[in-house]
Amino acid sequence: MDCRFDVRNDRDLTMLVDFYELTMGNSYLEEGVGDQIVYFDMYFRRVPDGGGYCIMAGVDQLIDYLKDLHFTEDDIKYLRSTGQFSEKFLDYLAHFTFTCDVWAIPEGYPVFPNEPLVTVRGPAIQAQLLETMVLVTINHQTLIATKANRICRVAGKRPVMEFGSRRAQGYDGAIYGARAAVIGGCSATANTLAGMMFDIPVSGTMAHSWIQLFDSELESFRAWANAYPDQCLLLIDTYNVLKSGLPNAITVFRELKEKGHKPLGIRIDSGDITYLTKKVRKALDEAGFPEAVIVISNSLDEHIIKDVLAEGAQINSFGVGERLITARSEPVFGGVYKMVAVEKDGKIIPRIKISENEEKITNPGFKKIYRIYEKDADKAIADLICDYDESLDDSRPLTIFDPVYTWKKKTLVNYKAELLRKQIFSSGKLCYESPSVREIQKFASQQVDRQWAEVLRFENPHNYYVDLSRKVWDKKHNLLNNYSEEFSGK
Ligand SMILES: Nc1ncnc2c1ncn2[C@@H]1O[C@H](COP(=O)(O)OP(=O)(O)OP(=O)(O)O)[C@@H](O)[C@H]1O
Ligand SMILES: O=P(O)(O)OC[C@H]1O[C@H](OP(=O)(O)OP(=O)(O)O)[C@H](O)[C@@H]1O
Ligand SMILES: O=C(O)c1cccnc1
C-alpha cells in the first residue's frame, strides 16, 4: 500500500533559479537560439570526507519540481518589475511548457566522481533554467545520504535513528535530510513530517524535560511506564546515570515486569559512552533485563561510533542528529551542471569546457554509463562512460583505461555490464516511477554490497575507476587538440 501523503506540492518552486538562468534565457531568445537543443550533465568531482563513493539521492524531488514547472502571473509581474526582460521573453515564460528529456542514476546507487548523475536534453532556455534546482536537490540529498551511509556502516547491525531536525539548516534541510538519511541507511527518523510525507518509520524516546517536570525522576519514569508499558524507553542521564537514572529505571522495569510487560530499554545522552554503557549493560543483565536496549545519543558521528564500539561500548542503537543532518565534517557537495553538447541539423556536436585544472575539463557529448561487474563475484569493477550510440557487448573482452594516466589499463573478460541510468522525462513527460524510500534504502544497501571492500574502506579507499570509452576519450582529446592548436599561435 502506498501511504505517502501528498503534502509536498503545496508550494511553487519554479522561481528557485539563479537569476542568470533567466537573463541568459532572455538573451537566447533575442539571439534566436532559445530553442536550440542542448545537453547538460550534472556531476561531482570529489567524494566528501575522503570516502570511496557517494549514495545517489534526490531524484524524486527533482521529478516533483520538473512535473510542475510553470510561471504564474505574479512570477511574470515580478520579473517584469526587475526591468531586465523583454516582453517577448516574459510571454515565453507565461506560456512555458516543459519539453526536456532527462536521464538520472536511480536513487540508492553508489555513485562516483566525474560521471553524469543527471543529463538534461532540451531547448537551451529550458535546460539552462534547471541548473539550480538540479544542483540543490541532488547535491543536498546525495550529501546527506552519503554521510548517513558512513554512519550506518560503522554502526553495523545496530539501528541508527535520525535525530537532527532541530539543528538542520532550515525546514528543507530537516525534511529532505531525513529522507536522504533513511536512504543512506537510518532505520527511522524523529521528523514526523518526513515520516508522513515519505512513509518512512518515525520513532523517538523522551526529552529531559519529561523527567524535570516531575518532582522526582522515579515518579517521572513511573508515569512514562504507565503511558507506554510496552514501549518503555527511559532517558537516564538527567541527574546521575549510575546513582539515580539506572537504579530508578531498574525499579520501574521490575514493576512493569510484574505486570507482565517487557521494558524496552534506556537512553544515555551525556557522559563517557564506553564507561557508562558497560556499567549499565552489566546492571541491566544482573537485574534480569538482558534484552533491554541501550540507546546512545549526543553529537555522534562515524568516528565516535567507530571508537566507542572498538572500546567495547555496549550499545544497541544510536540517535544521530546534528553531525548527520548538516554533514558537519564536510557540508558542501560540489555537484556542477555543465553544457556538454548542442544539436545542429539533428547532429549532436560535443562541447567542452577547458581549464588549466585537469579535473575541471568536462567530458563532452551525450553519453551513457555502464557499470561493469566481475561476473562471478558480482562486484563492481568500473564505470565506463560511453557515447550515447555505443553499446557494450559483455560477451567480448573489453580493455578499459584511465582517462588521464592512459597507460593504466585493464582487460576484462569475465564481466557483465549494466546500464546505470534511467530516462525520467521524455519530451517533458514523466516516464519513470520512483520507488518508495523504503525500497530505495534496501536497493542502496544491496548496491553497496556489490562494491569491493577496498572501495568501502574509510581511510584511503581504492579509487574506483570511472573511465571513458575510446570513442568518448577521442572526442574529448580531439576537442582539446583543436583548441590547443587554435591558441598555440597566440
Ligand atoms: N582507471 C583505470 N582503468 C583501468 N585500469 C586501471 C585504471 N587505473 C589503474 N588501472 C590498472 O589497474 C592495475 C592496478 O593499478 P595501480 O597499482 O596503479 O593502482 P591504481 O588502481 O592506479 O590505484 P593506486 O595507484 O591509487 O593504488 C594496473 O594494472 C593498472 O594499469
Ligand atoms: O546531539 P545530536 O547528534 O544532535 O542528537 C540529538 C540531540 O538532540 C537532543 O538534545 P537537546 O536538543 O535536548 O540538547 P542537548 O545537547 O542539551 O542534549 C538529544 O538529547 C540529543 O542530544
Ligand atoms: O526521540 C528522541 O529521543 C530525540 C529526538 C530528537 C532529538 N533528540 C532526541
PDB file of all heavy atoms in Angstrom, residues 5 12-13 95 117 140 176 279 289 320 363 445 465 487:
ATOM      1  N   PHE A   5       1.732  10.682   1.873  1.00  0.00           N
ATOM      2  CA  PHE A   5       0.754  11.775   1.881  1.00  0.00           C
ATOM      3  C   PHE A   5       1.263  12.884   0.979  1.00  0.00           C
ATOM      4  O   PHE A   5       2.439  13.229   1.020  1.00  0.00           O
ATOM      5  CB  PHE A   5       0.576  12.313   3.303  1.00  0.00           C
ATOM      6  CG  PHE A   5      -0.163  11.356   4.186  1.00  0.00           C
ATOM      7  CD1 PHE A   5       0.494  10.296   4.776  1.00  0.00           C
ATOM      8  CD2 PHE A   5      -1.523  11.513   4.407  1.00  0.00           C
ATOM      9  CE1 PHE A   5      -0.182   9.401   5.577  1.00  0.00           C
ATOM     10  CE2 PHE A   5      -2.211  10.623   5.209  1.00  0.00           C
ATOM     11  CZ  PHE A   5      -1.536   9.558   5.802  1.00  0.00           C
ATOM     12  N   ASP A  12       5.257  26.491  -4.823  1.00  0.00           N
ATOM     13  CA  ASP A  12       5.717  26.564  -6.191  1.00  0.00           C
ATOM     14  C   ASP A  12       7.187  27.004  -6.184  1.00  0.00           C
ATOM     15  O   ASP A  12       7.507  28.114  -5.765  1.00  0.00           O
ATOM     16  CB  ASP A  12       4.831  27.586  -6.908  1.00  0.00           C
ATOM     17  CG  ASP A  12       5.224  27.766  -8.346  1.00  0.00           C
ATOM     18  OD1 ASP A  12       6.165  27.093  -8.797  1.00  0.00           O
ATOM     19  OD2 ASP A  12       4.585  28.603  -9.018  1.00  0.00           O
ATOM     20  N   LEU A  13       8.064  26.134  -6.654  1.00  0.00           N
ATOM     21  CA  LEU A  13       9.500  26.456  -6.624  1.00  0.00           C
ATOM     22  C   LEU A  13      10.039  26.840  -8.005  1.00  0.00           C
ATOM     23  O   LEU A  13      11.250  26.899  -8.191  1.00  0.00           O
ATOM     24  CB  LEU A  13      10.280  25.257  -6.076  1.00  0.00           C
ATOM     25  CG  LEU A  13      10.006  24.890  -4.615  1.00  0.00           C
ATOM     26  CD1 LEU A  13      10.750  23.611  -4.232  1.00  0.00           C
ATOM     27  CD2 LEU A  13      10.418  26.023  -3.686  1.00  0.00           C
ATOM     28  N   HIS A  95       3.799  31.259 -21.206  1.00  0.00           N
ATOM     29  CA  HIS A  95       3.257  30.088 -21.929  1.00  0.00           C
ATOM     30  C   HIS A  95       4.217  28.901 -21.866  1.00  0.00           C
ATOM     31  O   HIS A  95       4.171  28.004 -22.720  1.00  0.00           O
ATOM     32  CB  HIS A  95       2.960  30.469 -23.388  1.00  0.00           C
ATOM     33  CG  HIS A  95       1.921  31.521 -23.495  1.00  0.00           C
ATOM     34  ND1 HIS A  95       2.220  32.859 -23.632  1.00  0.00           N
ATOM     35  CD2 HIS A  95       0.572  31.444 -23.423  1.00  0.00           C
ATOM     36  CE1 HIS A  95       1.114  33.559 -23.658  1.00  0.00           C
ATOM     37  NE2 HIS A  95       0.091  32.728 -23.528  1.00  0.00           N
ATOM     38  N   LEU A 117      25.434  12.172 -13.243  1.00  0.00           N
ATOM     39  CA  LEU A 117      24.344  11.626 -12.435  1.00  0.00           C
ATOM     40  C   LEU A 117      23.015  11.948 -13.105  1.00  0.00           C
ATOM     41  O   LEU A 117      22.066  11.172 -13.040  1.00  0.00           O
ATOM     42  CB  LEU A 117      24.353  12.236 -11.027  1.00  0.00           C
ATOM     43  CG  LEU A 117      25.672  12.193 -10.232  1.00  0.00           C
ATOM     44  CD1 LEU A 117      25.458  12.717  -8.821  1.00  0.00           C
ATOM     45  CD2 LEU A 117      26.246  10.789 -10.197  1.00  0.00           C
ATOM     46  N   HIS A 140      22.181  18.253  -2.152  1.00  0.00           N
ATOM     47  CA  HIS A 140      21.821  18.136  -0.736  1.00  0.00           C
ATOM     48  C   HIS A 140      21.555  16.692  -0.344  1.00  0.00           C
ATOM     49  O   HIS A 140      22.159  16.163   0.596  1.00  0.00           O
ATOM     50  CB  HIS A 140      20.593  19.010  -0.404  1.00  0.00           C
ATOM     51  CG  HIS A 140      20.080  18.767   0.977  1.00  0.00           C
ATOM     52  ND1 HIS A 140      18.804  18.341   1.236  1.00  0.00           N
ATOM     53  CD2 HIS A 140      20.690  18.836   2.190  1.00  0.00           C
ATOM     54  CE1 HIS A 140      18.653  18.180   2.547  1.00  0.00           C
ATOM     55  NE2 HIS A 140      19.774  18.475   3.143  1.00  0.00           N
ATOM     56  N   TYR A 176      14.025  16.942   3.911  1.00  0.00           N
ATOM     57  CA  TYR A 176      14.654  16.141   2.853  1.00  0.00           C
ATOM     58  C   TYR A 176      15.935  15.485   3.360  1.00  0.00           C
ATOM     59  O   TYR A 176      16.359  14.443   2.851  1.00  0.00           O
ATOM     60  CB  TYR A 176      14.865  16.987   1.596  1.00  0.00           C
ATOM     61  CG  TYR A 176      13.518  17.456   1.077  1.00  0.00           C
ATOM     62  CD1 TYR A 176      13.089  18.769   1.249  1.00  0.00           C
ATOM     63  CD2 TYR A 176      12.646  16.539   0.496  1.00  0.00           C
ATOM     64  CE1 TYR A 176      11.826  19.163   0.837  1.00  0.00           C
ATOM     65  CE2 TYR A 176      11.383  16.929   0.080  1.00  0.00           C
ATOM     66  CZ  TYR A 176      10.979  18.240   0.251  1.00  0.00           C
ATOM     67  OH  TYR A 176       9.726  18.612  -0.147  1.00  0.00           O
ATOM     68  N   LYS A 279      28.823  -0.331  32.317  1.00  0.00           N
ATOM     69  CA  LYS A 279      28.229  -0.438  33.664  1.00  0.00           C
ATOM     70  C   LYS A 279      26.720  -0.698  33.565  1.00  0.00           C
ATOM     71  O   LYS A 279      26.159  -1.526  34.286  1.00  0.00           O
ATOM     72  CB  LYS A 279      28.442   0.882  34.429  1.00  0.00           C
ATOM     73  CG  LYS A 279      29.883   1.156  34.798  1.00  0.00           C
ATOM     74  CD  LYS A 279      30.153   0.604  36.169  1.00  0.00           C
ATOM     75  CE  LYS A 279      31.557   0.960  36.613  1.00  0.00           C
ATOM     76  NZ  LYS A 279      32.026   0.122  37.702  1.00  0.00           N
ATOM     77  N   PHE A 289      17.275  -8.044  32.943  1.00  0.00           N
ATOM     78  CA  PHE A 289      16.780  -7.390  31.723  1.00  0.00           C
ATOM     79  C   PHE A 289      17.837  -7.417  30.602  1.00  0.00           C
ATOM     80  O   PHE A 289      18.256  -6.363  30.097  1.00  0.00           O
ATOM     81  CB  PHE A 289      16.362  -5.937  32.029  1.00  0.00           C
ATOM     82  CG  PHE A 289      15.286  -5.853  33.060  1.00  0.00           C
ATOM     83  CD1 PHE A 289      15.594  -5.463  34.365  1.00  0.00           C
ATOM     84  CD2 PHE A 289      13.983  -6.207  32.751  1.00  0.00           C
ATOM     85  CE1 PHE A 289      14.614  -5.409  35.328  1.00  0.00           C
ATOM     86  CE2 PHE A 289      12.990  -6.158  33.719  1.00  0.00           C
ATOM     87  CZ  PHE A 289      13.299  -5.763  35.013  1.00  0.00           C
ATOM     88  N   VAL A 320      21.348   9.901  16.041  1.00  0.00           N
ATOM     89  CA  VAL A 320      22.371  10.805  15.493  1.00  0.00           C
ATOM     90  C   VAL A 320      21.693  12.020  14.870  1.00  0.00           C
ATOM     91  O   VAL A 320      20.830  11.875  13.998  1.00  0.00           O
ATOM     92  CB  VAL A 320      23.258  10.092  14.455  1.00  0.00           C
ATOM     93  CG1 VAL A 320      24.363  11.030  13.981  1.00  0.00           C
ATOM     94  CG2 VAL A 320      23.865   8.827  15.045  1.00  0.00           C
ATOM     95  N   ASN A 363      33.699  16.331 -19.756  1.00  0.00           N
ATOM     96  CA  ASN A 363      33.636  15.216 -20.707  1.00  0.00           C
ATOM     97  C   ASN A 363      32.539  15.521 -21.710  1.00  0.00           C
ATOM     98  O   ASN A 363      31.355  15.475 -21.375  1.00  0.00           O
ATOM     99  CB  ASN A 363      33.337  13.903 -19.973  1.00  0.00           C
ATOM    100  CG  ASN A 363      34.512  13.456 -19.127  1.00  0.00           C
ATOM    101  OD1 ASN A 363      35.665  13.656 -19.507  1.00  0.00           O
ATOM    102  ND2 ASN A 363      34.232  12.876 -17.973  1.00  0.00           N
ATOM    103  N   SER A 445      21.418  -0.519   0.006  1.00  0.00           N
ATOM    104  CA  SER A 445      22.195  -1.482   0.781  1.00  0.00           C
ATOM    105  C   SER A 445      22.679  -2.633  -0.121  1.00  0.00           C
ATOM    106  O   SER A 445      23.839  -3.054  -0.049  1.00  0.00           O
ATOM    107  CB  SER A 445      21.316  -1.961   1.935  1.00  0.00           C
ATOM    108  OG  SER A 445      21.723  -3.192   2.367  1.00  0.00           O
ATOM    109  N   TYR A 465      37.332   3.033 -10.586  1.00  0.00           N
ATOM    110  CA  TYR A 465      37.609   3.530 -11.931  1.00  0.00           C
ATOM    111  C   TYR A 465      36.339   4.066 -12.598  1.00  0.00           C
ATOM    112  O   TYR A 465      35.350   3.342 -12.720  1.00  0.00           O
ATOM    113  CB  TYR A 465      38.188   2.415 -12.817  1.00  0.00           C
ATOM    114  CG  TYR A 465      39.438   1.752 -12.260  1.00  0.00           C
ATOM    115  CD1 TYR A 465      39.689   0.399 -12.481  1.00  0.00           C
ATOM    116  CD2 TYR A 465      40.375   2.484 -11.524  1.00  0.00           C
ATOM    117  CE1 TYR A 465      40.832  -0.207 -11.976  1.00  0.00           C
ATOM    118  CE2 TYR A 465      41.512   1.882 -11.020  1.00  0.00           C
ATOM    119  CZ  TYR A 465      41.733   0.538 -11.240  1.00  0.00           C
ATOM    120  OH  TYR A 465      42.844  -0.068 -10.735  1.00  0.00           O
ATOM    121  N   PHE A 487      44.916  28.079 -30.103  1.00  0.00           N
ATOM    122  CA  PHE A 487      45.522  29.055 -29.182  1.00  0.00           C
ATOM    123  C   PHE A 487      47.047  29.085 -29.280  1.00  0.00           C
ATOM    124  O   PHE A 487      47.678  29.980 -28.730  1.00  0.00           O
ATOM    125  CB  PHE A 487      45.134  28.757 -27.729  1.00  0.00           C
ATOM    126  CG  PHE A 487      43.644  28.803 -27.498  1.00  0.00           C
ATOM    127  CD1 PHE A 487      43.035  27.936 -26.598  1.00  0.00           C
ATOM    128  CD2 PHE A 487      42.839  29.714 -28.178  1.00  0.00           C
ATOM    129  CE1 PHE A 487      41.669  27.971 -26.390  1.00  0.00           C
ATOM    130  CE2 PHE A 487      41.468  29.751 -27.980  1.00  0.00           C
ATOM    131  CZ  PHE A 487      40.878  28.877 -27.089  1.00  0.00           C
TER     132      PHE A 487
END
